[in-house]
């Protein structure tokens, strides 16, 4: 029988030992992983086998790995650190708690690295300059709570490890609802956290993603049904969740043959915070390292569209992210000779390096954001972590609820009929296409035809391509910069995709190239479907005015006229094509526009059609039907 106390003591006292402790949600044991460290450059280099023998590997994947996808990131040299497991034990939870240290870890010089006022100004700039210019729907900008840890020892390595295990014990004892509670102890890098969110799990050919968004900080005295209902009724919180589900469905559509199905929403209840969440599931046979690459990283901690979110983060965050918003990933050999992967997001985590504590926290900025409300959200998230590890006073109510002598059963607010009904009602706004199983597209109305989807740096194209395949088309995606004129000419149908930015700014290479593609298809009278940004470019080619909206339509659901039918469609636009109210034609194009404002929702003419909204979005309840109608128009 393992002597848990002696085992942990030996690891703490060995400065060269690397080990990981993991308590998964609901488990009555703590997993201990030990092994040698290998730092690698790329996800493909994660050493899952040696001389043909599969190996279990735990990896800490830093944010800077998004560069593997061609995205921007400050490079701070944080390693893609792999622990090649030579020992994996399950230790009884009570034994681990009993063996872990619990003396207080004093902190000094504590506070945020960016003042509240400065952070509020950053929020204001992002809303005005990024969302307001059409650069995206939402962005997560972080700041760090920092402090010096009073190690009080001549052996700082041992003292840091002891501090980490003290915090890990506190999380095991006082936090609840975490997907993983963990401590990662390696030379030069220590991380202790309680992540609420599984970013991606691949097991037995099934991929699961778990977008969580919206943060309800429990008020003094604890959460009540009334305060929770007020949170769930917030337009900002609801739209924030829908936007991140859309963004993660883009990833699911890239890695899963069936595009991914939505279940939920659910409440994610923790000790001091409550979140709303969905579950996305689909089938994939990709290597788990490829799945991880295609899903770097969660929009809940970056923003959308993903590529531009990384650029916005690069512009507005003053320091590199390190491991924050990356993932911890456990690759485990499976019976089929491959590996499963379980990868929670690295949030709600304390980092300890050279005696300095760092707790990164971020707020999701959307068009409805109040700068000081987002400041408060970062305080709440930091306090949730710091309270859980005992660095600040814990909530008395949380302590009472987690008292080991208290009754085990506790009524969950999620079980309240009124709360459950309010949650379930959200799905009435969503597209059934993504909620229900889909039929094989081989018998779709466009079977035997093909489409080239041009990605203008918004991976909504992956969802769009999945819908095209459902309609029978053989759809291929190519990035705007890789598409040649020959590719454009050879395609039976070109779908010019959405993307961020001002459609009038031809100084941007991406915008200029999309103008060229649209012009070329129009000139050849070849079938063209233009979406969002490309719809605006098409309108410009037809001589229709382009203008910024008074308020961005990022994650907005509207019922709009589309050539004789009203359609419920999701919008993610900051600019619009606009005609005089009542206008129904522009040259050879038929115009479908708002009767009051003249905002153009759709265009069609000889061999072309376009739409301002995102028919592929979960917000487009009439998306698949409208898409079929517009493709029929383009082929006419």
């Amino acid at each position: 029988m393992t002597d848990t106390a002696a085992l942990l003591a030996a690891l703490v006292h060995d400065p060269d030992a690397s080990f990981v402790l993991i308590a998964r949600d609901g488990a009555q044991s703590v997993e201990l992983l030990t092994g040698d460290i290998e730092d690698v450059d790329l996800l493909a280099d994660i050493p899952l086998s040696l001389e043909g023998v599969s190996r279990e590997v735990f990896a800490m994947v830093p944010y800077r790995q998004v560069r593997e996808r061609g995205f921007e990131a400050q490079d701070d040299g944080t390693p893609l650190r792999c622990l090649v497991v030579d020992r994996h034990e399950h230790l009884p939870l009570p034994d681990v708690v009993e063996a872990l240290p619990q003396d207080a870890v004093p902190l000094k010089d504590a506070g945020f690295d960016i003042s509240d006022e400065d952070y509020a100004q950053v929020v204001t700039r992002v809303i005005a300059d990024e969302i307001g210019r059409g650069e995206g729907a939402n962005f997560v900008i972080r700041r760090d709570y920092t402090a010096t840890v009073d190690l009080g020892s001549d052996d700082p390595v041992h003292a840091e490890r002891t501090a980490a295990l003290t915090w890990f014990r506190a999380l095991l004892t006082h936090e609840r609802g975490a997907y993983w509670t963990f401590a990662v102890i390696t030379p030069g890098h220590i991380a202790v956290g309680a992540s609420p969110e599984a970013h991606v799990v691949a097991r037995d050919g099934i991929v699961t993603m778990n977008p969580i968004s919206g943060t309800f900080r429990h008020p003094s005295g604890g959460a009540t049904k009334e305060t929770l209902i007020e949170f769930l009724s917030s337009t900002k919180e609801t739209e924030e969740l829908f936007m991140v589900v859309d963004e993660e469905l883009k990833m699911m559509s890239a890695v899963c043959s069936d595009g991914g199905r939505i279940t939920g929403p659910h409440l994610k209840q923790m000790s001091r915070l409550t979140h709303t969440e969905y579950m996305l599931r689909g089938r994939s046979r990709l290597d788990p390292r490829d799945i991880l690459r295609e899903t770097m990283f969660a929009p809940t901690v970056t923003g959308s569209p993903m590529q531009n979110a990384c650029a916005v983060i690069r512009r507005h965050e003053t320091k590199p992210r390190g491991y924050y918003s990356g993932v911890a990933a456990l690759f485990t050999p499976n019976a089929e000779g491959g590996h499963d992967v379980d990868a929670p997001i690295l949030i709600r985590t304390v980092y300890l390096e050279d005696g300095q504590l760092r707790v990164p926290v971020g707020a999701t900025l959307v068009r409805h954001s109040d700068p000081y409300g987002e400041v408060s959200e970062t305080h709440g998230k930091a306090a949730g972590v710091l309270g859980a590890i005992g660095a600040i006073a814990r909530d008395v109510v949380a302590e009472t609820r987690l008292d080991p002598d208290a009754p085990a059963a506790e009524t969950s607010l999620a079980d309240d009929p009124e709360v459950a009904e309010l949650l379930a009602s959200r799905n009435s706004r969503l597209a059934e296409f993504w909620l229900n199983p889909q039929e094989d597209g081989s018998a779709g109305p466009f079977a035997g035809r093909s489409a080239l989807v041009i990605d203008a740096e918004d991976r909504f194209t992956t969802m769009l391509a999945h819908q095209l395949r459902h309609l029978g088309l053989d759809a291929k995606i190519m990035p705007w910069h890789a598409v040649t004129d020959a590719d454009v000419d050879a395609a039976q149908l070109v779908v010019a995709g959405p993307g961020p930015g001002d459609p009038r700014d031809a100084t941007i290479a991406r915008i200029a190239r999309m103008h060229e593609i649209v012009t070329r298809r129009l000139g050849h009278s070849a079938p063209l479907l233009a979406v969002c940004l490309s719809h605006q470019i098409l309108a410009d080619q037809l001589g229709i005015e382009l203008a910024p909206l008074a308020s961005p339509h990022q994650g907005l659901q509207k019922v709009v006229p589309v050539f004789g039918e009203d359609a419920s469609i999701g919008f993610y636009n900051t600019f619009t094509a606009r005609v005089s109210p009542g206008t129904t034609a522009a040259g050879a194009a038929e115009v479908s526009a708002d009767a009051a404002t003249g905002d153009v929702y759709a265009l069609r003419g000889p061999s072309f059609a376009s739409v301002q909204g995102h028919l592929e979005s979960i917000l487009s309840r009439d998306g698949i039907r409208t898409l079929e109608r517009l493709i029929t128009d383009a082929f006419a």
Side-chain angles (χ1 to χ4, degrees):
M1 179 179 294
T2 301
D3 184 334
T4 300
L7 176 58
L8 294 177
L11 291 169
V12 169
H13 283 87
D14 182 353
D16 298 321
S18 295
F19 62 98
V20 177
L21 294 165
I22 302 169
R24 307 196 205 206
D25 188 18
Q28 295 304 305
S29 64
V30 175
E31 297 170 62
L32 169 66
L33 288 68
T34 66
D36 293 331
I37 294 297
E38 292 186 31
D39 291 344
V40 299
D41 293 329
L42 303 172
L43 289 169
D45 299 330
I46 294 174
L48 298 186
S49 65
L50 178 64
E51 297 179 351
V53 178
S54 292
R55 305 195 291 183
E56 185 172 35
V57 178
F58 174 88
M60 291 283 286
V61 182
Y63 172 76
R64 72 186 186 102
Q65 294 303 130
V66 295
R67 296 178 307 155
E68 290 194 44
R69 294 181 61 186
F71 301 169
E72 293 185 34
Q74 297 185 62
D75 187 1
D76 56 355
T78 301
L80 199 179
R81 175 149 292 183
C82 300
L83 182 143
V84 182
V85 179
D86 61 18
R87 178 179 189 171
H88 188 162
E89 289 193 37
H90 291 257
L91 307 175
L93 178 59
D95 292 357
V96 173
V97 171
E98 179 67 25
L100 291 172
Q102 55 181 314
D103 290 339
V105 180
L107 304 179
K108 56 186 179 181
D109 303 324
F112 281 102
D113 61 339
I114 300 172
S115 71
D116 287 355
E117 188 62 37
D118 287 347
Y119 187 76
Q121 290 178 8
V122 171
V123 173
T124 301
R125 287 197 300 271
V126 170
I127 295 169
D129 298 343
E130 305 294 358
I131 298 175
R133 287 205 323 257
E135 297 301 320
N138 57 87
F139 302 109
V140 179
I141 304 299
R142 86 166 204 298
R143 61 177 179 158
D144 295 347
Y145 187 94
T146 63
T148 300
V149 179
D150 187 357
L151 299 175
S153 171
D154 294 331
D155 186 350
V157 173
H158 176 263
E160 284 190 340
R161 291 174 173 228
T162 301
L165 293 189
T166 300
W167 296 333
F168 180 62
R169 184 189 189 280
L171 290 174
L172 291 177
T173 305
H174 300 290
E175 189 53 276
R176 66 170 182 179
Y179 179 69
W180 270 25
T181 303
F182 59 89
V184 181
I185 315 293
T186 68
H189 291 276
I190 289 176
V192 183
S195 176
E197 188 167 353
H199 174 52
V200 64
V201 177
R203 186 175 293 122
D204 299 327
I206 302 297
V207 175
T208 303
M209 298 186 75
N210 177 209
I212 293 176
S213 191
T215 300
F216 170 49
R217 184 179 180 183
H218 299 171
S220 177
T224 64
K225 182 175 80 170
E226 290 71 26
T227 56
L228 181 59
I229 286 176
E230 181 181 1
F231 161 73
L232 293 175
S233 301
S234 164
T235 298
K236 173 189 177 295
E237 300 295 352
T238 302
E239 291 185 355
E240 186 178 305
L241 179 60
F242 288 161
M243 284 189 278
V244 298
V245 172
D246 257 340
E247 194 67 20
E248 293 206 2
L249 270 175
K250 298 176 187 180
M251 298 175 180
M252 292 290 287
S253 294
V255 301
C256 297
S257 58
D258 57 353
R261 305 268 62 72
I262 303 172
T263 59
H266 311 288
L267 285 183
K268 183 72 173 182
Q269 295 176 274
M270 303 186 73
S271 297
R272 296 157 187 83
L273 304 170
T274 294
H275 307 280
T276 46
E277 65 178 358
Y278 276 91
M279 298 298 293
L280 315 180
R281 290 186 176 86
R283 296 185 176 276
S284 179
R285 290 297 176 184
L286 291 179
D287 183 294
R289 292 167 294 192
D290 294 332
I291 292 173
L292 208 54
R293 182 184 305 104
E294 290 299 315
T295 60
M296 289 193 302
F297 283 115
T300 51
V301 283
T302 51
S304 65
M306 182 69 199
Q307 183 164 352
N308 224 39
C310 292
V312 169
I313 288 168
R314 180 70 179 84
R315 287 195 287 269
H316 293 277
E317 290 189 357
T318 59
K319 300 175 183 176
R321 287 192 162 198
Y323 289 111
Y324 170 72
S325 73
V327 298
L330 180 60
F331 297 87
T332 304
N334 59 33
E336 297 180 357
H339 284 76
D340 296 331
V341 65
D342 188 359
I345 301 175
L346 288 170
I347 54 175
R348 312 294 163 81
T349 299
V350 180
Y351 299 94
L352 180 57
E353 298 176 5
D354 298 325
Q356 297 297 307
L357 169 147
R358 184 171 64 92
V359 180
V361 291
T364 301
L365 314 184
V366 298
R367 60 192 175 92
H368 291 303
S369 286
D370 169 68
Y372 289 97
E374 304 300 354
V375 167
S376 178
E377 181 164 329
T378 62
H379 276 278
K381 288 179 177 177
V385 177
L386 295 165
I389 67 171
I392 61 175
R394 297 189 182 97
D395 187 301
V396 174
V397 173
E399 288 285 348
T400 301
R401 286 178 172 174
L402 294 168
D403 183 341
D405 296 326
E410 177 185 325
T411 301
S412 169
L413 289 176
D415 296 330
D416 181 271
E418 191 173 350
V419 170
E421 182 178 355
L422 183 58
L423 272 174
S425 69
R426 291 185 173 189
N427 286 353
S428 65
R429 296 180 56 186
L430 304 185
E432 291 186 3
F433 181 86
W434 298 107
L435 292 169
N436 299 326
Q438 300 162 12
E439 298 176 1
D440 183 359
S442 60
F446 306 111
R449 297 184 179 184
S450 63
L452 172 62
V453 183
I454 301 175
D455 190 329
E457 297 185 6
D458 187 338
R459 295 191 80 197
F460 260 129
T461 49
T462 62
M463 295 169 67
L464 187 55
H466 180 69
Q467 287 192 324
L468 294 172
R469 294 178 189 119
H470 177 77
L471 293 173
L473 288 152
D474 180 9
K476 174 184 178 182
I477 303 173
M478 292 185 70
W480 66 270
H481 54 80
V483 175
T484 67
D485 287 347
D487 294 324
V488 174
D489 294 344
Q492 288 184 298
L493 171 69
V494 164
V495 179
D502 186 338
R504 305 166 299 181
D505 190 354
T507 64
I508 299 174
R510 174 174 50 82
I511 303 291
R513 181 55 178 154
M514 296 307 291
H515 272 275
E516 291 171 358
I517 289 167
V518 169
T519 300
R520 192 172 187 88
R521 291 297 285 192
L522 288 178
H524 291 169
S525 297
L528 168 70
L529 175 65
V531 179
C532 197
L533 172 71
S534 295
H535 158 84
Q536 297 161 8
I537 289 172
L538 172 63
D540 184 63
Q541 298 285 341
L542 297 172
I544 298 173
E545 174 195 5
L546 301 180
L549 292 162
S551 177
H553 291 172
Q554 297 291 350
L556 180 67
Q557 186 180 58
K558 298 177 68 175
V559 176
V560 301
V562 180
F563 305 121
E565 287 189 15
D566 284 344
S568 177
I569 295 174
F571 287 80
Y572 286 84
N573 63 302
T574 299
F575 295 87
T576 185
R578 184 170 289 154
V579 296
S580 298
T583 299
T584 58
E590 185 179 352
V591 176
S592 189
D594 189 280
T597 66
D599 290 354
V600 178
Y601 298 129
L603 296 163
R604 66 181 177 185
S607 299
F608 69 81
S610 70
V611 64
Q612 176 60 76
H614 285 264
L615 305 180
E616 67 282 6
S617 167
I618 62 167
L619 292 172
S620 293
R621 289 185 294 162
D622 299 314
I624 193 70
R625 169 169 171 73
T626 306
L627 180 62
E628 181 178 345
R629 292 179 64 213
L630 293 179
I631 293 172
T632 300
D633 291 335
F635 274 128

